[in-house]
Amino acid sequence: MKVIEGVNFPSYLFSSLIAGYVMMTVDMMLDGFFGLFGTYREYLNIVRQFGLFDGYEGLAMAIGHTINSLVLALIFVNKRIYNKIPAKSGLIKGVIFGIVWHVCVLVVLLIFSLGGAKFAINMLSSSYTGQFSLFLLHMVWGGTLGLLYTPQEN
């Protein structure tokens, strides 16, 4: 498969799981810090709004977030993308990736919200502090991913 060609799979698996966990933990542990973070509550409300996983919203959010981290980290560890990020340090590569990722997420949400997608509308209508928190959290996710991922040696 071209997507994982040249990927250090054990390092990818480890770094993506830890990065997703760190992002979620930072969001919960820093909830309220300077009026930021706590975005997990917004996700829980969205899950509740759609009536999904009644009574298991928190578990569904944690599992879903872990799966998201695993799947989306494949973009970062793709050899062609990883090598194009203009930095030598894995940490800096990851932070840059987190910033670019956040911008891409906003663009996709905007496009889908224009088509009436409820999830996208809900995500875009969150507060400025919520939006800034998500930006910081994507930087934390990307930075952790970049710090821990070791590319495959040629």
Side-chain angles (χ1 to χ4, degrees):
M1 290 178 60
K2 293 276 185 191
V3 174
I4 59 172
E5 185 178 303
V7 170
N8 180 345
F9 195 77
S11 182
Y12 146 74
L13 190 61
F14 173 75
S15 60
S16 63
L17 286 171
I18 298 299
Y21 176 78
V22 168
M23 179 182 174
M24 194 166 45
T25 301
V26 166
D27 191 37
M28 289 184 202
M29 298 304 276
L30 293 182
D31 185 356
F33 181 71
F34 290 120
L36 299 171
F37 304 104
T39 64
Y40 65 92
R41 275 193 249 91
E42 292 179 39
Y43 284 101
L44 289 174
N45 288 334
I46 290 170
V47 171
R48 285 186 192 110
Q49 175 187 356
F50 292 112
L52 300 171
F53 310 106
D54 195 27
Y56 298 97
E57 295 90 349
L59 181 61
M61 183 204 60
I63 291 171
H65 203 82
T66 301
I67 293 169
N68 283 348
S69 185
L70 279 166
V71 171
L72 301 174
L74 282 171
I75 298 167
F76 176 72
V77 301
N78 180 290
K79 192 174 184 177
R80 291 178 301 271
I81 292 173
Y82 185 86
N83 290 333
K84 285 183 182 175
I85 300 173
K88 290 185 181 189
S89 160
L91 173 65
I92 302 303
K93 280 182 180 278
V95 170
I96 291 169
F97 178 74
I99 291 168
V100 171
W101 177 254
H102 187 76
V103 170
C104 291
V105 166
L106 288 176
V107 169
V108 168
L109 287 174
L110 179 62
I111 291 167
F112 287 171
S113 70
L114 293 173
K118 293 177 185 176
F119 178 81
I121 292 168
N122 285 334
M123 289 303 295
L124 287 176
S125 65
S126 70
S127 66
Y128 292 119
T129 56
Q131 295 293 343
F132 186 63
S133 296
L134 285 174
F135 174 71
L136 294 174
L137 289 167
H138 282 135
M139 288 175 49
V140 166
W141 172 69
T144 305
L145 187 61
L147 180 68
L148 298 177
Y149 179 68
T150 304
Q152 189 174 42
E153 305 242 350
N154 292 333

